Amino acid sequence: MHETLERWSTRRAFILAVTGAAVGLGNIWRFPYITGENGGAAFLVLYVAFVLLLGLPVMMAEIMIGRAGRRSPMQSLGHLAARSGASRHWRWLGLFGAATVFCILSFYSVVSGWSIEFLVAAINGDFRGASAADIGAGFDAFLADPARLTFNHSLFLAMTLLVVAAGVAKGLERLNNLLMPLLYLLLVLLAGYAATTEGFGVALGWLFLPDFSALTPLVVMHAMGHAFFTLAVGACALMAYGAYMPDHQSLPRAVGAVAVLDVAVALLAGIAIFSVVFSQGLDPGEGPGLMFVTLPIAFAELPWGALWLSVFFLLLLLATWTSSINLAEPMVATLQGWGLRRGLATAVVGVAVWSLGMLSVFSFSSLAETRVLFGMNPFELVSTIPPEVFLPLGGLLIAIFAAWVMPEEAARYALDVGPGGFRLWRGVVRWVAIPLTLVVLVAGLS
Ligand code: TRP
């Protein structure tokens, strides 16, 4: 298999594509609810620290491998390993990544489907005049209805695979250009509204004044897993995008911009959501429904609330769309690498992801009490173990490969920084990122 010639058309397009992969449910849905479940500020501090110390350097490592290999993840790893005389078995890391995104996409598609339902409800004005209790009850009734969940899950997955089948670079570029600026604008507006609510002060204190006494190794592991998840790192999915990265673009600078935007979106969403939580006397540890219950309440109080809410869910949907396209890409690339045509590869991925996703659909009704493993039902299991164990494990192996195994001159070239910058990056990966990931994983799992 030869090098791919496909490239993102501009440097900006590459940054937007990676931002599109990073910003999604992880920032707006998952970040608030797991921060709520894990006690607030102390968790937030850890998450930001992990983004800086692990997420960023490993993200550079991952994209760099793709850029140096210019092939699908499995083939890039195999090719670079061979060039430095290391074992070709490194290529199985690409398959492990594909298995990880397989699990993640299955629940991601189901939850993204919730935004479709809410978008339609918002456009219909269903939330107008509804009380917090009404909205909560409506959401519970929706989750208990597998037919509606299945419909939305199927629709969302079909939307994703349509773009993937067409080839990622072109369709995605156009989508991203419009979407990202609008999403930020709306979140700033929402956070501005939050500042006028009575819960705002409590929310800020709860988010930003840490109490480290409540930390356990498990909470630390949740924070690390979330840092990988939100940056889309650890599953070779960004490696696939790195293969299309143009020459002459500084990787650290591009990645730094993405991380800042990613954290900013999460913080804005968190401020907005927790202001509502504390204004309405809701429970921050409410779980996966947190965003879906709080935001309709918040918007209901704004002038033209129904309109804003519709726009918000539309943007959320587009943001999850660009993320799920990134989630699907490594699987399709892997199958293509095995000789399948792109259309067929996409169809195979679609059937498999849809089927696994059905377990998540039923996890809110008939399978709710079915404890598969570790006391978790299927949805809890796939939305916890792959992000919090598989991604860090994948990230660890990616880091080891990038900093110890692959040829140094290829790494240096693909990172595109000066000699000092290269040594700094490699030092951080070797002596901070790798040991820290290992320690947190071992402590969290034992
Ligand atoms: N980062 C995305 C989010 O926050 C999810 C995501 C997209 C992802 N691509 C990924 C997670 C690859 C892990 C690996 O919603």
Side-chain angles (χ1 to χ4, degrees), residues 20-28 62 100-101 104 108 226 228-238 262 319-320 322-324 326-327 330 391:
V23 174
L25 287 177
N27 311 67
I28 298 170
E62 183 174 330
T100 306
V101 289
I104 291 179
Y108 205 92
H226 188 68
F228 281 101
F229 183 84
T230 188
L231 292 177
V233 168
C236 304
L238 293 182
D262 190 66
T320 65
T322 53
S323 293
S324 64
N326 176 251
L327 284 164
L391 288 180

Side-chain angles (χ1 to χ4, degrees), residues 136-224:
F139 183 65
D140 291 341
F142 166 58
L143 287 189
D145 184 347
R148 277 156 81 197
L149 294 190
T150 304
F151 176 77
N152 290 304
H153 161 51
S154 312
L155 188 62
F156 182 79
L157 196 59
M159 270 168 58
T160 298
L161 296 178
L162 224 61
V163 178
V164 174
V168 165
K170 299 226 174 43
L172 203 55
E173 279 193 36
R174 238 166 273 146
L175 198 62
N176 279 326
N177 261 321
L178 178 74
L179 160 74
M180 287 294 151
L182 268 178
L183 183 66
Y184 300 132
L185 195 74
L186 207 70
L187 282 168
V188 169
L189 187 94
L190 200 58
Y193 156 74
T196 68
T197 63
E198 49 185 307
F200 183 64
V202 187
L204 286 190
W206 191 82
L207 270 173
F208 297 110
L209 299 176
D211 165 15
F212 290 106
S213 62
L215 286 185
T216 62
L218 203 58
V219 172
V220 179
M221 192 173 83
H222 292 320
M224 178 172 81

Side-chain angles (χ1 to χ4, degrees), residues 380-440:
E380 289 162 347
L381 194 69
V382 286
S383 64
T384 306
I385 302 298
E388 297 186 358
V389 182
F390 296 178
L391 288 180
L393 203 58
L396 178 68
L397 294 170
I398 287 169
I400 293 174
F401 185 83
W404 293 104
V405 178
M406 74 185 271
E408 185 179 321
E409 98 299 331
R412 200 187 284 268
Y413 178 76
L415 202 59
D416 210 341
V417 281
F422 179 76
R423 272 197 301 277
L424 177 66
W425 166 81
R426 200 175 57 181
V428 170
V429 173
R430 282 187 173 176
W431 312 115
V432 181
I434 293 173
L436 192 59
T437 312
L438 257 178
V439 168
V440 175

